[in-house]
Amino acid sequence: MKLKSTLLSLAVAVAFTMPIDAAQYTVPEGQPPVPGADSSIPDNAYQNYRYDKTRNITTADHIKKIEEYNKRIDGEVLEKKGTAEQAEQLKKAYAKYLELITHESTVILLHEGDYKAKVTLPISVVESYFVDLDKKGKGSYVFDRHAIAGLVGANEQVEDSGFNKKAQRQGEFMYPGISKGYWGIREQYANGNLPVMYAAVTFDKYPNQTYMAFLGNKNQPVTKKLESTMANFVIPSIQPLENLDNTSDTITWDNLTYRVPKGMTLDIVDKSDDFQGRVYVGDGMKLVVARSSLVDKGEPIQLYTQTVLNHFFYKKNPTLLKDIPLQVALVWNNGVPSYLLDQYNPGKKSRIYQLIKDDKYEYYMFLTYEDGKNKYSHIELRNIMEYLDFGNVKQIRQARNKRLKK
């Protein structure tokens, strides 16, 4: 799928000299272009979790957080709760951690019942809400300090309701793999203080479903920045999940279901009273899946970031590949969060990590592979790692939704 090529062609759809390589990506006659499409941004920009131009976080916010953290750490030294040396190590670790999470992305996957799609969003999420739409669809909504976003899958019975009302659509687009696609902007939503831009597609393979991705900035009007983010990052990332069955197999370990690349086999099983692990091997690849009893039952998102700060940066986790860039995303599978860290080193040893928690265990997965020495690309392997499922997913979601309602 090359939806970005679609968007770039929209701006010239009314011209007579459309580029040959974009001729198959068109809009119906008379349709306006999707606003914000930028030819300088690559088709696959969404694949880089650290894509910077889309961020809605100011430098002032970043500096303020560092100053507040450093002040608190210095205060603990004065209270003799730590040494000056430890304080300096913590400050350096926090600076790395904050730089990382400031540029993290969010990935939403729907794969419950008949729904199979995903979207990638350049926001740092702090909360989520998952809802069944009166048995007519599924909706996964995410929030950060500045924005609301989500992915909704709906059957044909709600085609002309909610965001999908035909009167609200402002343009259509067509590209290979979909039977229809359209976009729109609602300048007044949620009592008028949350304008959003949305796009919806119906995939050829799922003709009775519409998938809609949306993004809105809180208490801000629609801006060129929002339009550019949707056109160049979010919309190109909307895709079905059917290819995962061709590249991977599902493994269920009690409550957790994860995927392993096809061709990998179970090599080692390790069990003890407080730790269990599995090791899979394949061509140029090794996947470790380990778990231990859940000790801290706090909010998973906070626990993930604490783990990154304390065990990856402060304690210098030996599993991190030295001098290889690290990018991260909070991944929502049917409303349940996990945390994925990616160290891609083209043509050399690369590694993908996944931090996972349910209501009983904390899991740690990491895939080590020699890029180019197996039949899978970096993105195919990362897609495999992103996918998770839980036997008690509804129970986990209900707990999150209940807390959000309070």
Side-chain angles (χ1 to χ4, degrees), residues 31-35 163-173 181-188 195-201 212-216 222 226-227 230-231 235:
Q31 291 292 322
V34 176
F163 277 123
N164 291 16
K165 287 185 179 297
K166 292 181 180 179
Q168 298 170 354
R169 303 176 191 176
Q170 298 184 28
E172 299 180 15
F173 52 83
Y182 55 86
W183 63 272
I185 293 175
R186 290 186 63 175
E187 297 196 7
Q188 290 189 348
V196 301
M197 182 173 176
Y198 64 90
V201 299
M212 178 172 294
F214 64 91
L215 176 64
V222 174
L226 172 62
E227 293 170 349
M230 283 293 297
I235 296 177

Side-chain angles (χ1 to χ4, degrees), residues 254-317:
D254 296 336
N255 190 51
L256 175 69
T257 295
Y258 54 92
R259 286 182 175 268
V260 300
K262 284 186 179 295
M264 296 195 80
T265 58
L266 183 61
D267 183 51
I268 300 173
V269 176
D270 185 13
K271 295 182 179 180
S272 63
D273 292 339
D274 58 356
F275 177 86
Q276 301 170 49
R278 299 175 174 186
V279 179
Y280 299 84
V281 295
D283 292 340
M285 299 182 291
K286 181 171 76 171
L287 174 65
V288 176
V289 185
R291 75 182 187 188
S292 59
S293 296
L294 184 63
V295 177
D296 191 336
K297 295 187 178 181
E299 165 57 35
I301 299 176
Q302 296 175 0
L303 297 179
Y304 294 147
T305 54
Q306 288 172 11
T307 297
V308 172
L309 173 60
N310 294 328
H311 297 286
F312 282 79
F313 291 145
Y314 179 63
K315 295 182 180 180
K316 297 182 179 179
N317 192 307

Side-chain angles (χ1 to χ4, degrees), residues 42-92:
D43 294 2
N44 61 349
Y46 68 90
Q47 293 179 356
N48 184 350
Y49 288 155
R50 294 178 58 88
Y51 193 65
D52 294 323
K53 291 184 179 180
T54 60
R55 302 298 162 179
N56 199 27
I57 299 172
T58 64
T59 302
D61 288 341
H62 188 99
I63 294 173
K64 183 179 179 181
K65 285 186 177 182
I66 290 181
E67 290 176 345
E68 290 175 347
Y69 183 83
N70 290 349
K71 183 178 180 180
R72 179 167 66 83
I73 295 300
D74 288 338
E76 292 180 357
V77 173
L78 292 174
E79 295 174 5
K80 297 184 178 181
K81 295 181 179 179
T83 66
E85 183 180 0
Q86 289 173 333
E88 289 306 308
Q89 290 176 344
L90 281 169
K91 289 178 182 179
K92 291 179 181 179

Side-chain angles (χ1 to χ4, degrees), residues 108 110 115 117 119 131 133 136-141 149-155 158 163-164 199-201 209-214 238:
I108 301 176
L110 289 180
Y115 297 96
V119 68
V131 63
L133 303 173
K136 296 179 180 178
K138 309 285 182 181
S140 187
Y141 306 87
L151 177 65
V152 176
N155 63 32
V158 290
F163 277 123
N164 291 16
V201 299
Q209 299 167 351
T210 295
Y211 293 96
M212 178 172 294
F214 64 91
I238 305 172

